[in-house]
Amino acid sequence: MKHYFVILMTLFTLSSCTEKTKTFTASEIHILPKPNKVTLAESSFLLRDNLTIGYTNETQKNAANHLEQVVREMANVQFEVKDGIGASIAFIKVEGVEPETYQLTVTPKKVTIGASGAAGYFYGVQTLRQLLSFENKENASGQWLIPSIAIEDAPRFKWRAYMLDESRYFFGEAFVKKMLDEMALLKMNIFHWHLTDDAGWRIEIKKYPLLTKVGAFRLDSEIETWGSGKTSGEPHGGFYTQEQIKDIVAYAAERNITIIPEFEMPGHSNAAIAAYTWLGTAGKDIDVPIKFGRHYDNYDVTKPKVVQFVKDVLREMFALFPSEVIHIGGDEVGYKVWEEAPHVQEFMQENGINTPADLQIDFTNKISQFIGQNGHRMMGWNEILGVNVHEGFKEKKDDKDAETELAKNVVIHFWKGDLGLATAAAQKGYGIVNSIHTHTYLDYSYAYTPLKKAYNFDPIPEGLESQYHKNIYGTGCQMWSEWTPTYKDVEYQTFPRIAAYAEVGWTQLDNKNFESFKTALAKQQKHWDSKEINYAKVVEKE
């Protein structure tokens, strides 16, 4: 890579004889997330019609077509995409670098984007997009320039996620694609899609049609805040067909975004139980709940028929989502219904299961094994470790910790409890995504999680030995939607904090700077204005 960079700097020198255009200063370069290494040079590359974008393989061709579209839409400049070398803008193969690494070089005569594959090329284009600058010339029309620059860049973490909760409120395909576009520009690569919960089931499962016919709709919705006693007075519902899911998954993949679906089990399952009563432990007919929060019933994990249901649903999800990881939730499981069910207690005694937490782990390990046998890997919220992190809740305060150990091939999504639990899990070899709620939950107010707090979050727990850092995969920011029923509500809670989390996931710690981030964010807000995104105008307050 050092040899490659020497060649690039030589290109800067050789280009000095070119007609001079504007030379940009460091204070004019604003890229989110901030790149690892940036070297500015004199002059700039002038965009004009009929320049060529060159490629030598199909992956580069796709990237070239993407760049052509970006330039045409932003600058109204027409480029020609062609096979072969010698183009003004070239995609080149760089061996021996990670998939998301890219190298961007701009001289007055040539633009080069180097990477090992599709992800790196895509991110090179996103950076180039942010570098495009419209400059006015005296006594002449303006021109579009790209600063002469060399950038070497790669992400700090491989997991940079945004989660959208569509169980509480269904937002639909157009809004999801809008969010995917904004994620892509910020180099976020995981869309965590919360599709099932008590408040609604949002994914078509052909073997169980009542999941969407019944489970996707509720008669009313609690509003304003927890325990308000108020409701909207309006029904709510909706779901995605499998064809829509396939289309959205493909749309995300074109933007180097993997969709991780979440199928909640064994708790947060009341929408499914409303559709099929036999799934529940209590054996009672219920409606899809209109109140948000934890509910009494869970899947009856002692019934083979229920376990088969879970496997059937997972099989259909495997066919829809090519992601390695499948999220099974596992959080906030109320054990009272299991404790009060004689047949569950009998099952536990017959199988030597001492606590409800052990019953959950027994079920979770079986599902993890099934997921693994089908070429995927299970992920779940950190309660699946069997440690009670809800002692502050009346209904959970007496829950005993599990004696059974969770399967090691599981990814732990850490959201609640002492960070020492995440540290211990990483030391045991578990993969960790650190989304501690105090720093990453977007439904929390800006007073509780201001922009600077979000920006300063470090996914690696303090004190974790360096040899275990590889087990911290990254972070995710979570947009729970109980109190955000509209697009504009979700946008307000998400933007601009999503940009802070993008830089948390991408930029090396020693390269981060909150003041420079705020400057770059001001430019990003102009883009959000153009997309009519309802972002919170909080930057000037911090």
Side-chain angles (χ1 to χ4, degrees):
M1 186 181 292
K2 290 181 179 178
H3 178 66
Y4 175 85
F5 199 68
V6 169
I7 294 174
L8 300 184
M9 296 312 297
T10 302
L11 286 174
F12 279 139
T13 303
L14 293 176
S15 66
S16 60
C17 59
T18 304
E19 180 184 351
K20 295 290 184 182
T21 50
K22 175 181 175 175
T23 296
F24 287 76
T25 64
S27 63
E28 296 176 284
I29 305 301
H30 308 300
I31 302 168
L32 283 177
K34 188 178 180 182
N36 288 331
K37 184 175 182 180
V38 177
T39 304
L40 276 171
E42 291 187 356
S43 197
S44 48
F45 181 90
L46 173 64
L47 296 187
R48 56 188 183 275
D49 286 332
N50 302 317
L51 291 177
T52 55
I53 307 176
Y55 64 88
T56 58
N57 60 46
E58 194 66 21
T59 300
Q60 293 175 2
K61 180 181 179 180
N62 292 336
N65 285 328
H66 175 49
L67 177 58
E68 186 278 331
Q69 180 183 1
V70 167
V71 172
R72 176 166 34 85
E73 292 178 354
M74 288 189 65
N76 195 28
V77 174
Q78 302 292 325
F79 284 176
E80 178 187 359
V81 177
K82 70 173 189 176
D83 189 359
I85 60 176
S88 302
I89 301 175
F91 288 88
I92 64 172
K93 178 80 170 180
V94 179
E95 303 290 351
V97 298
E98 293 297 317
E100 293 186 311
T101 296
Y102 70 93
Q103 298 162 347
L104 171 64
T105 309
V106 182
T107 74
K109 284 189 173 182
K110 193 173 183 69
V111 176
T112 303
I113 300 175
S116 64
Y121 294 133
F122 183 82
Y123 289 146
V125 172
Q126 301 319 301
T127 293
L128 195 64
R129 179 177 186 163
Q130 293 190 48
L131 288 169
L132 289 175
S133 179
F134 184 75
E135 302 293 328
N136 289 311
K137 296 172 62 178
E138 292 183 8
N139 302 317
S141 58
Q143 56 187 6
W144 284 90
L145 302 175
I146 307 173
S148 290
I149 200 167
I151 294 175
E152 291 183 281
D153 204 11
R156 183 185 179 204
F157 294 105
K158 64 181 181 181
W159 190 287
R160 307 178 303 279
Y162 173 75
M163 189 211 82
L164 181 63
D165 168 18
E166 285 208 78
S167 174
R168 275 68 180 215
Y169 283 97
F170 176 77
F171 298 107
E173 186 173 356
F175 185 73
V176 167
K177 288 181 175 179
K178 181 179 183 179
M179 299 305 289
L180 291 170
D181 287 342
E182 298 309 313
M183 288 175 62
L185 187 57
L186 293 168
K187 302 186 178 75
M188 300 181 81
N189 66 346
I190 301 290
F191 179 61
H192 172 186
W193 208 358
H194 191 80
L195 289 166
T196 78
D197 210 302
D198 296 308
W201 184 284
R202 307 296 178 207
I203 175 173
E204 178 190 23
I205 301 298
K206 294 185 182 297
K207 189 168 183 177
Y208 300 98
L210 295 185
L211 288 172
T212 46
K213 186 176 180 179
V214 174
F217 300 90
R218 61 178 184 264
L219 296 175
D220 205 343
S221 302
E222 185 179 18
I223 58 172
E224 294 185 6
T225 189
W226 307 104
S228 69
K230 301 177 183 179
T231 64
S232 68
E234 299 176 353
H236 180 79
F239 65 92
Y240 294 99
T241 67
Q242 293 198 359
E243 289 306 308
Q244 287 177 308
I245 294 282
K246 291 175 184 176
D247 180 68
I248 293 169
V249 167
Y251 189 90
E254 291 172 355
R255 290 151 181 77
N256 194 48
I257 295 171
T258 299
I259 295 185
I260 305 296
E262 183 175 354
F263 167 21
E264 276 272 17
M265 63 181 85
H268 284 296
S269 50
N270 279 246
I273 295 170
Y276 295 100
T277 304
W278 53 266
L279 289 171
T281 305
K284 296 179 180 179
D285 291 338
I286 61 171
D287 295 323
V288 177
I290 65 173
K291 291 185 67 175
F292 301 128
R294 294 168 297 281
H295 292 271
Y296 177 70
D297 211 356
N298 304 323
Y299 289 135
D300 187 346
V301 299
T302 70
K303 289 182 185 176
K305 186 178 180 181
V306 174
V307 175
Q308 187 60 49
F309 162 84
V310 171
K311 292 179 179 180
D312 290 339
V313 172
L314 284 169
R315 284 192 183 95
E316 293 198 31
M317 293 179 73
F318 296 153
L320 296 171
F321 298 97
S323 56
E324 176 194 3
V325 173
I326 302 291
H327 204 303
I328 59 90
D331 58 309
E332 297 182 327
V333 180
Y335 293 146
K336 188 176 181 180
V337 68
W338 288 347
E339 292 168 340
E340 294 180 346
H343 72 281
V344 172
Q345 293 302 306
E346 182 179 350
F347 177 90
M348 291 172 62
Q349 290 174 2
E350 290 176 353
N351 290 274
I353 298 172
N354 294 330
T355 72
D358 287 291
L359 178 61
Q360 182 178 352
I361 289 185
D362 177 73
F363 166 75
T364 301
N365 283 346
K366 290 173 182 174
I367 297 304
S368 174
Q369 183 181 34
F370 174 78
I371 290 173
Q373 290 169 344
N374 284 272
H376 297 267
R377 187 178 180 190
M378 193 182 82
M379 180 178 191
W381 302 105
N382 59 279
E383 287 98 323
I384 64 175
L385 285 166
V387 178
N388 183 8
V389 295
H390 296 289
E391 293 179 350
F393 293 140
K394 181 179 178 181
E395 69 271 24
K396 297 286 289 179
K397 66 182 181 65
D398 295 325
D399 288 351
K400 294 182 173 63
D401 291 348
E403 301 166 8
T404 313
E405 186 172 59
L406 181 69
K408 282 293 196 300
N409 63 331
V410 173
V411 180
I412 305 299
H413 200 173
F414 192 82
W415 78 281
K416 189 166 186 175
D418 192 301
L419 276 171
L421 296 174
T423 298
Q427 291 168 337
K428 291 178 181 178
Y430 290 103
I432 307 291
V433 173
N434 189 352
S435 296
I436 185 70
H437 71 105
T438 53
H439 288 70
T440 70
Y441 272 27
L442 292 164
D443 54 313
Y444 291 3
S445 71
Y446 282 91
Y448 185 86
T449 310
L451 188 64
K452 188 172 186 179
K453 180 180 178 181
Y455 184 82
N456 287 335
F457 173 60
D458 185 359
I460 295 181
E462 185 176 357
L464 180 65
E465 299 91 337
S466 59
Q467 67 263 35
Y468 301 116
H469 286 191
K470 66 181 183 297
N471 293 334
I472 307 298
Y473 293 170
T475 189
C477 53
Q478 286 65 232
M479 184 61 250
W480 299 106
S481 66
E482 288 95 340
W483 317 119
T484 51
T486 71
Y487 304 149
K488 295 302 182 184
D489 292 333
V490 171
E491 290 172 356
Y492 183 87
Q493 294 299 122
T494 297
F495 301 92
R497 288 184 292 195
I498 191 173
Y501 295 119
E503 195 147 305
V504 166
W506 185 276
T507 306
Q508 296 294 332
L509 277 179
D510 58 3
N511 202 27
K512 288 178 65 182
N513 180 281
F514 185 61
E515 293 305 314
S516 67
F517 167 76
K518 289 196 295 183
T519 302
L521 193 60
K523 180 179 179 181
Q524 186 70 22
Q525 287 174 330
K526 294 178 181 178
H527 162 75
W528 293 337
D529 286 333
S530 73
K531 299 297 181 180
E532 298 183 344
I533 290 173
N534 183 41
Y535 60 89
K537 297 173 177 62
V538 296
V539 178
E540 64 275 9
K541 299 177 183 178
E542 301 203 24

